[in-house]
Amino acid sequence: MEKALHKDVGKPHDENQTLYRILFIIGACHLLNDSLQAVIPAMFPILERSMGLSFTQLGLIAFTLNMISSVMQPLVGTFTDKKPLPYALPIGLTSSMVGMLGLALAPNFWLVLVSVVFIGLGSAVFHPEGSRVVYLAAGNKRGLAQSIFQVGGNSGQALAPVITALILVPLGQIGAAWFTLIAGLAVVFLTYIAKWYRGQIQSIQAKKKKLAAKTHSKAVSKAIKSALIVLIFLVFARSWYAAAISNFYAFYAIDSYDLTIAKSQIYIFIFLAMGAIGTFLGGPLADRFGRRNVILFSLVASSPLSILLPYVGPIFAMILLATIGLFLMSSFSVTVVYAQELVPGKIGTMSGLIVGLAFGMGAIGSVALGYFIDLLGLSTTMIMASLLPLLGFLTFLLPTDKKVQEWYE
C-alpha cells in the first residue's frame, strides 16, 4: 500500500483527474475515526446502568463530544485555509487515541467528559482536513468523491450497535480500550495521506490566488449568505432527527417492544447502515441530477415516513427506519459539496462549517431531546422529533446548481 501511495506523493495532479486511491484511503480513515465516536453513544446503555446516569447526563456526554467537534471544525478549517497543515491529520487521531483509553478507564461521569473532549478534538481536526484532501483528489467527480469519504464515516457510525452487542455488552466499559488499536491504525494511514497532501500545497495556493481575484456584486454576495443560512436550517433538521434516532430510539424500542439492549441495537444498526448506503448514493446522484434536487428529495421524501414511525409495530418500524435512513442521509455529502461550491475559495471553512454544524446541531439536539424525554416522556418526544424533516421544504429557497455555477464563470 505504501509503495502504491508514494506514486502520487509530491506530484500535483490534473485537477480533472479523480484519484480513487487517495479517496478510498481517506474514506477508510473516516470509517476508523467515526467508529471511535460511535463507541460513545453505543456505551449509553452501559453507562446508564453502571454509573446510574440520567438521560440528561447522557445527553451532556453527546453534547460534549459533538460541541467540541462543531465549534473547533470551522476554526480548524479557517486556519488551514490560510496555512495548510498536512500532518494535523495524524496528530488529531492521536488525540482520539488518548481519549479512547481514558474512556475505557474513567471511574465517573466527569472523567468520561474529559475523555470525550480528547476524542472530540481529534474529530474536529480530521473532518475539515479530510474533506480538503477529498476536494483535492476529487477531480470532476466531487459528489462521488465526497460520498466515498462520507460513507466511510457513516459506516463507522453504523458500527455502534455492533460494538454494543459484541464488545461492550460482554466486556463493559473497559471494552472501549480495544479501540485504541483502531485509532493507532488510523494514525498510520493518515501519515501516508499527509505525505501526499504536502505535495499538493503549491497547487492549493495557486487556486486560492485565482479565486481571490474574483469579485461579486452585492446582490450575489447577499444571495450566497442567504443560501448558507438556508443550508444551516436544513442541516439542523437532519441532524436533530438523526440524533433522536441514533441516541434515543434504542430506549424507545426497549420500552415499546419489550426488547433487550442487544436486540434494540438492531433498529439503530438498520437506520445507520442504510444511512451509509444513502450517503454513498447521494453523491453520484447529485453529480447527475443536481445538488439542490438531491437535498430536496432527501428531507421531503423522509418526512411522511418519519411521521408514521412512532405509530407502527416492531417489524414495520425496521422497514421505515431503513427507508428513512436511506433517504435522509443521501444529502449528507451533498450539503458539503454544495457549500464548497458556494464558496470555493474556503474549502476547509465550508467543510468545517457544514460537517461541524451537523455535529453541533446533533449535540444541542441530544441535550434538548434528553431534557424533553425526562420532562415529557419518550413517546411524546419521538413524535415531536418526527416533524423535523418537514423543514426540507426550505430547500426551494436555495439557488439552483446552474445559478451557483454562473456566479463563478
Side-chain angles (χ1 to χ4, degrees):
M1 179 183 294
E2 184 175 3
K3 183 178 178 180
L5 183 64
H6 285 336
K7 287 172 60 181
D8 297 315
V9 170
K11 296 181 181 179
H13 70 286
D14 181 354
E15 63 180 26
N16 292 319
Q17 179 187 5
T18 304
L19 298 181
Y20 289 101
R21 182 186 300 111
I22 300 296
L23 294 176
F24 287 134
I25 293 174
I26 194 68
C29 290
H30 200 182
L31 185 152
L32 296 174
N33 177 82
D34 282 25
S35 68
L36 300 179
Q37 290 182 259
V39 172
I40 295 169
M43 288 184 70
F44 280 3
I46 307 296
L47 295 175
E48 185 214 10
R49 293 189 177 181
S50 65
M51 295 185 183
L53 303 184
S54 68
F55 282 108
T56 301
Q57 287 176 308
L58 295 176
L60 283 171
I61 293 172
F63 176 85
T64 300
L65 172 68
N66 293 332
M67 188 54 70
I68 291 290
S69 297
S70 66
V71 170
M72 293 298 295
Q73 279 194 48
L75 297 178
V76 171
T78 301
F79 181 81
T80 54
D81 276 335
K82 298 176 181 177
K83 185 178 180 180
L85 297 173
Y87 285 93
L89 284 165
I91 291 171
L93 262 291
T94 301
S95 173
S96 294
M97 184 165 57
V98 171
M100 193 54 60
L101 183 61
L103 185 64
L105 302 175
N108 56 51
F109 171 72
W110 295 108
L111 286 178
V112 168
L113 287 183
V114 171
S115 301
V116 164
V117 167
F118 280 93
I119 297 170
L121 287 172
S123 180
V125 172
F126 175 81
H127 284 94
E129 286 300 275
S131 289
R132 191 195 307 279
V133 168
V134 171
Y135 188 88
L136 292 172
N140 57 7
K141 296 181 179 179
R142 290 177 186 166
L144 174 61
Q146 193 65 226
S147 281
I148 291 171
F149 177 62
Q150 297 296 350
V151 78
N154 285 35
S155 299
Q157 293 169 17
L159 291 174
V162 178
I163 290 167
T164 301
L166 300 182
I167 299 176
L168 297 179
V169 169
L171 297 180
Q173 182 180 345
I174 195 64
W178 286 99
F179 294 91
T180 58
L181 300 177
I182 290 178
L185 182 62
V187 170
V188 173
F189 284 149
L190 288 173
T191 300
Y192 293 157
I193 288 290
K195 291 177 182 179
W196 175 83
Y197 182 4
R198 185 178 58 184
Q200 310 305 310
I201 290 178
Q202 186 176 355
S203 174
I204 295 171
Q205 301 299 343
K207 288 179 183 177
K208 281 176 59 180
K209 289 180 181 178
K210 183 179 178 180
L211 288 167
K214 181 73 177 178
T215 58
H216 292 301
S217 67
K218 289 184 178 180
V220 170
S221 296
K222 184 178 179 180
I224 291 171
K225 292 177 183 177
S226 298
L228 286 173
I229 291 170
V230 172
L231 208 58
I232 287 170
F233 273 101
L234 297 174
V235 171
F236 154 77
R238 188 186 64 214
S239 298
W240 271 51
Y241 186 73
I245 300 298
S246 59
N247 289 332
F248 299 113
Y249 193 83
F251 297 104
Y252 180 84
I254 290 169
D255 285 353
S256 299
Y257 308 135
D258 195 26
L259 302 177
T260 64
I261 291 176
K263 288 183 178 179
S264 71
Q265 298 302 308
I266 296 172
Y267 291 82
I268 312 304
F269 176 76
I270 288 172
F271 174 76
L272 295 175
M274 292 304 291
I277 294 173
T279 297
F280 178 76
L281 294 176
L285 287 173
D287 285 338
R288 182 169 181 179
F289 298 108
R291 322 290 189 219
R292 193 183 80 155
N293 291 338
V294 171
I295 295 170
L296 176 66
F297 172 81
S298 167
L299 285 155
V300 171
S302 300
S303 57
L305 306 179
S306 66
I307 291 170
L308 184 60
L309 180 63
Y311 304 102
V312 301
I315 302 300
F316 198 37
M318 291 184 183
I319 297 171
L320 285 179
L321 282 169
T323 311
I324 293 169
L326 183 70
F327 289 171
L328 188 72
M329 301 310 294
S330 65
S331 66
F332 193 94
S333 61
V334 182
T335 50
V336 177
V337 175
Y338 188 90
Q340 290 174 340
E341 293 180 348
L342 271 177
V343 191
K346 297 182 179 180
I347 298 303
T349 304
M350 289 300 102
S351 301
L353 176 66
I354 298 302
V355 180
L357 187 66
F359 280 110
M361 289 298 183
I364 296 169
S366 295
V367 174
L369 290 165
Y371 173 77
F372 283 126
I373 290 170
D374 286 336
L375 182 67
L376 303 174
L378 206 48
S379 295
T380 301
T381 302
M382 296 305 292
I383 291 170
M384 290 168 54
S386 72
L387 302 176
L388 288 166
L390 288 171
L391 290 174
F393 285 100
L394 291 173
T395 307
F396 285 111
L397 300 176
L398 291 176
T400 64
D401 297 43
K402 184 178 180 181
K403 176 63 69 175
V404 173
Q405 189 177 7
E406 288 174 357
W407 291 339
Y408 292 95
E409 288 179 349

